[in-house]
Amino acid sequence: MTRWRYAAATDTGLVRETNQDAYFVDDAVAIVADGMGGHAAGEVASAMSVDIIYDAFVATPTVDGMVAAIDSANRQVLADAAAHPERFGMGTTLVIAALIEDKGATHPVVFHVGDSRVYQLRDGALRQLTSDHSVAEEWVRMGRLTAEEALVHPRRHQLTRAIGVDQPLEIDVRSVTAQAGDRLLLCSDGLSNELTDEQIAILATSSASLEEAVQALVSAAKDHGGRDNITAVLVEFDAVSDGFAPLEATMTPLPPTPPEAPRPDPVPRAPKTRRRVTWRSAVVATVILGVVAAGVGILHWYAYANFYIGAKGQEVVIYQGQPGGVLLWKPTTVAVTPFPLHQFRSADQQLIHSTISEPSSQAAVEYVGYLHQQWQLSQPTTTTTTTTQPAPKG
Ligand code: MG
């Protein structure tokens, strides 16, 4: 039987006005969600997701159950944002560690979307179990940036995956091989951005008390700037199941192998010129077809591997596809933003007209929000409050 003890701490930090992080932890599941979106929307997305996931997972405490729970949170956040235009662009990251029973043993499994993180700590050393779904990290994986450049890149905080952006949602799932005494730290980027790996490793392991450790982590993040909401959830394994079965094996059952057809004995063939020509043309035709199919596949992939911000009349729209399209594959509309074109600075309007490419729809949504905010900041500071009163009758 695998068991853990746990402690958690969260703090608004020194700069933000509200805490949009949400968390939950008990003896079977630990969740950290870092909400984003203007006004109170980020708080809505993170709190809502934690509630939905906890309830759904308790009902079906399996890997598939958790994936379905996360998927359900994604759908509900999307639906809620569609029903409330003021919550446009709201979303949340998610990291989850759950103890999941399988074949009589319980194993820790980590689920992840976005740039919140899970670290595993053993003997004072730290290992990051998740890789950020951010523009800069994707560019590192594509070879466009080095890991060092990514650390300071202006788009390192822009997410490529989050709850509340797209349907379907891609979720990273991995099993964790733990031993008694290991700790898992789940945290929002308000912690990981302020502290180095070494600082996190020391603070998360030096105290025997989990409560003291999470407090020390949050205080240190504040001492280093506290520029964002900070959340740390720490669990420590008291006992670990024997007979660990790697999750990958149980998650992706191999399709049954079809029985192999008996091979006919090779029959010696007399060389016949005509037959050889036919055989050769078949091979040539197959190769040509293969090349064409691969080409079509690559083109189709290319046609939709891009997102961009563009203008459609007075509307600012997020598209998936290449501007102008590729052959028959035209860009599709991902979202019409609630910001009309005139609510952008004129230089940005020109940029939007000539389209701005983004690696994901989340990145596009965030960038539109950012540009719109820049326009708002450039406006004369008058507060306009419009109060509509019903005209007196009679
Ligand atoms: Mg954050």
Side-chain angles (χ1 to χ4, degrees), residues 67-256:
V67 167
I70 297 170
D71 194 58
S72 163
N74 186 44
R75 286 168 196 273
Q76 292 185 53
V77 170
L78 280 167
D80 191 87
H84 303 91
E86 72 278 12
R87 294 181 187 164
F88 172 82
M90 81 166 170
T92 185
T93 70
L94 264 186
V95 278
I96 301 171
L99 293 178
I100 290 179
E101 209 183 304
D102 182 43
K103 299 186 185 110
T106 319
H107 310 291
V109 182
V110 163
F111 303 81
H112 153 239
V113 176
D115 68 350
S116 296
R117 293 181 176 177
V118 181
Y119 297 99
Q120 184 170 14
L121 301 130
R122 179 181 297 173
D123 303 329
L126 155 154
R127 185 163 73 113
Q128 191 177 327
L129 297 181
T130 52
S131 56
D132 299 348
H133 301 140
S134 68
V135 174
E137 280 300 317
E138 302 286 353
W139 283 351
V140 169
R141 287 191 276 275
M142 288 160 73
R144 265 176 82 172
L145 287 181
T146 65
E148 292 70 34
E149 285 167 338
L151 285 177
V152 294
H153 196 273
R155 299 183 67 178
R156 66 190 180 280
H157 303 311
Q158 245 182 299
L159 299 187
T160 51
R161 273 197 244 170
I163 298 286
V165 179
D166 266 334
Q167 179 67 38
L169 172 72
E170 211 182 321
I171 304 162
D172 286 0
V173 183
R174 67 174 293 170
S175 59
V176 181
T177 312
Q179 60 189 42
D182 281 5
R183 290 179 177 183
L184 295 182
L185 170 67
L186 290 78
C187 67
S188 59
D189 64 341
L191 186 88
S192 51
N193 284 336
E194 302 293 7
L195 302 176
T196 63
D197 284 1
E198 290 72 25
Q199 290 166 327
I200 292 175
I202 292 167
L203 293 165
T205 56
S206 53
S207 169
S209 150
L210 296 179
E211 198 56 53
E212 274 173 34
V214 289
Q215 294 298 342
L217 283 162
V218 169
S219 309
K222 284 169 80 175
D223 292 345
H224 284 81
R227 279 157 284 201
D228 194 1
N229 305 145
I230 309 153
T231 302
V233 173
L234 201 56
V235 302
E236 181 179 315
F237 295 94
D238 281 338
V240 174
S241 282
D242 289 335
F244 177 78
L247 173 73
E248 285 73 15
T250 58
M251 271 192 61
T252 45
L254 293 170

Side-chain angles (χ1 to χ4, degrees), residues 306-311 319 322-324 348-358:
N306 183 57
F307 292 84
Y308 68 92
I309 303 162
Y319 295 98
Q322 301 293 343
D348 291 337
Q349 290 184 24
Q350 282 176 21
L351 272 178
I352 292 169
H353 266 299
S354 55
T355 75
I356 306 170
S357 282
E358 292 290 333

Side-chain angles (χ1 to χ4, degrees), residues 256-264:
T257 355
E260 220 168 283
R263 272 167 193 237

